Amino acid sequence: MLLSELEKIEMIGEAENVQDAIENIRQLGPDVVILDIRMPGGSGIDVLREIVKEDRVPIVIMLTNYPHSQYKKKCIDAGADFFFDSQGNSKKLLRF
């Protein structure tokens, strides 16, 4: 909902769980993917680890309610481009 307010953003997909996320990213080929750490069937980090293996890797933004430094490090090490706390940094995402 946060991104739907922006004119230049087109949402092309959404996923309910880890497996759907991986499949949708492979099929739709988005430019940017927003993942949460916590997802049904695993975590956004699991999705991230899979999609960075692809030939064409989208920009990956981790947007989470778990802003702990160990999660940030794990996400960045796995290949995330950005890590935002959805409580405190969501406005930064809109400037992206």
Side-chain angles (χ1 to χ4, degrees), residues 27-62:
Q27 289 177 359
L28 298 171
D31 296 322
V32 178
V33 173
I34 299 173
L35 299 169
D36 194 350
I37 289 175
R38 199 169 190 180
M39 293 180 70
S43 77
I45 299 169
D46 298 328
V47 175
L48 174 61
R49 287 182 177 139
E50 280 301 309
I51 63 174
V52 297
K53 296 176 186 176
E54 302 295 319
D55 291 333
R56 185 183 173 281
V57 179
I59 293 170
V60 178
I61 299 170
M62 299 301 292

Side-chain angles (χ1 to χ4, degrees), residues 64-84:
T64 184
N65 284 326
Y66 301 95
H68 310 293
S69 60
Q70 71 267 23
Y71 289 131
K72 181 177 182 176
K73 179 176 178 3
K74 190 178 272 192
C75 292
I76 298 301
D77 288 350
D81 297 288
F82 300 95
F83 184 94
F84 293 114

Side-chain angles (χ1 to χ4, degrees), residues 1-6 63 86 90-91 93-94:
M1 290 187 338
L2 180 68
L3 296 176
S4 66
E5 299 172 13
L6 301 175
L63 181 63
S86 60
S90 59
K91 289 185 181 176
L93 178 61
L94 292 177

